[in-house]
Amino acid sequence: MTDGSSTPDQQAVNKIDTTVPHSARIWNYWMGGKDNYEVDRIAGDEYREVAPNIETMARASRAYLIRTVTHVAGDCGIRQFLDIGTGLPTYDNTHQVAQRVAPEARIVYVDNDPLVLRHAQALLTSTREGVTDYIDADLQEPERILEAAAKTLDFDRPIALMLMGILGHIQNYDEAVSVVRRLQDALPSGSYFVHYDSTDTDQALQEAQQGYDDTGAVPYVLRSVAQISRFYEGLELIEPGIVSCPLWRPGPSETDIETTDVHGGVARKP
């Protein structure tokens, strides 16, 4: 560029801080992705030394996403998805899973990480029949998210709201509950809430998380299963309820299931 201006992609790159580890990039590293930096790999390795189960948690969380989206799109017939806290694209992202079941599915991703913005083009691929869109916004601005999502999604028809491993980044618990309620209140009857978050049920995980938080990165709050359950109040939980993610409707080929310290569930709005 000779006029001193820059493209949105270049602006996003300029915002990336490679001196502080970032949870989305570390998660990408644990899942075998390449969209991370040395600072993320160092933090990820240090976390894993304290909590060796973390890579199992990361992969179990993605397997859970695949099963829940497949169920909601297939058995529940949902054709619209609002996925907030998208993270970096790896394999079997929400739009790929949903559109395998229903090619006409419409998916809106929401994130405010500059590296995710840089990769938005990868997320914006869609079937010819469906739509995939991306919103650059913060989870703590639910009204802004809803207004922008309404340009792609029809809020008179059921929508699957997905908050996958993101609510722990809202440190104040009451605020986290408030954000969830405001998002759920905007959904019509027959919509679904799909969610998971890491729990405080393992001492090693708590120690590893504290070590990560001490690096200056955006902290993540591990919460009890009882606290997580409040996010589902007023909704109709689908069996088996709120469970360790590997226990949520595992497939026939999934044997010798190992539970992890990440819990979630799927619920319908009456």
Side-chain angles (χ1 to χ4, degrees):
M1 305 287 285
T2 58
D3 59 357
S5 60
S6 59
T7 66
D9 184 72
Q10 290 171 324
Q11 293 169 9
V13 172
N14 292 338
K15 293 179 181 178
I16 297 172
D17 186 350
T18 60
T19 65
V20 177
H22 190 282
S23 61
R25 302 193 307 248
I26 295 174
W27 206 252
N28 176 269
Y29 172 54
W30 286 330
M31 291 179 63
K34 298 179 180 179
D35 296 314
N36 46 73
Y37 298 95
E38 183 178 7
V39 66
D40 307 307
R41 295 187 287 274
I42 291 172
D45 289 342
E46 290 176 348
Y47 199 115
R48 183 173 49 200
E49 286 180 8
V50 180
N53 195 41
I54 189 62
E55 284 190 351
T56 300
M57 289 174 59
R59 290 179 169 83
S61 300
R62 180 50 54 118
Y64 169 79
L65 181 150
I66 295 169
R67 294 197 306 276
T68 54
V69 172
T70 299
H71 174 76
V72 170
D75 294 351
C76 303
I78 297 298
R79 296 295 179 263
Q80 302 188 105
F81 294 80
L82 178 57
D83 185 347
I84 304 176
T86 304
L88 290 161
T90 51
Y91 58 89
D92 280 335
N93 302 289
T94 298
H95 71 285
Q96 294 166 320
V97 178
Q99 291 181 344
R100 275 204 299 267
V101 177
E104 71 276 21
R106 305 171 74 87
I107 296 89
V108 172
Y109 289 110
V110 182
D111 210 300
N112 69 336
D113 178 73
L115 190 58
V116 175
L117 178 61
R118 182 184 179 190
H119 287 273
Q121 195 60 45
L123 290 173
L124 290 173
T125 58
S126 174
T127 58
R128 188 173 302 175
E129 303 93 329
V131 175
T132 305
D133 199 5
Y134 174 85
I135 298 171
D136 182 13
D138 192 289
L139 172 62
Q140 292 170 273
E141 302 175 312
E143 286 74 25
R144 181 183 168 209
I145 290 173
L146 293 166
E147 180 181 2
K151 297 176 182 177
T152 302
L153 305 179
D154 180 358
F155 277 77
D156 290 325
R157 297 172 54 226
I159 295 170
L161 168 65
M162 299 177 58
L163 298 176
M164 309 293 260
I166 189 68
L167 291 173
H169 286 302
I170 302 180
Q171 291 183 265
N172 183 284
Y173 178 59
D174 289 337
E175 183 178 359
V177 172
S178 173
V179 166
V180 173
R181 292 286 179 273
R182 285 143 69 189
L183 289 167
Q184 291 173 346
D185 287 348
L187 304 178
S189 175
S191 292
Y192 284 81
F193 176 54
V194 187
H195 158 267
Y196 74 76
D197 266 303
S198 299
T199 58
D200 62 359
T201 44
D202 180 72
Q203 184 63 37
L205 189 66
Q206 293 182 49
E207 293 176 8
Q209 188 61 52
Q210 186 59 57
Y212 170 79
D213 294 345
D214 290 343
T215 66
V218 177
Y220 182 94
V221 181
L222 301 172
R223 295 191 166 109
S224 68
V225 177
Q227 286 176 311
I228 286 175
S229 297
R230 277 196 64 196
F231 299 141
Y232 296 79
E233 287 182 355
L235 305 179
E236 300 169 347
L237 271 166
I238 293 176
E239 291 293 335
I242 302 167
V243 295
S244 177
C245 285
L247 298 178
W248 199 94
R249 302 195 178 197
S253 63
E254 297 177 81
T255 58
D256 299 323
I257 296 171
E258 180 182 354
T259 61
T260 66
D261 298 293
V262 56
H263 281 63
V266 177
R268 181 182 181 275
K269 182 174 180 179

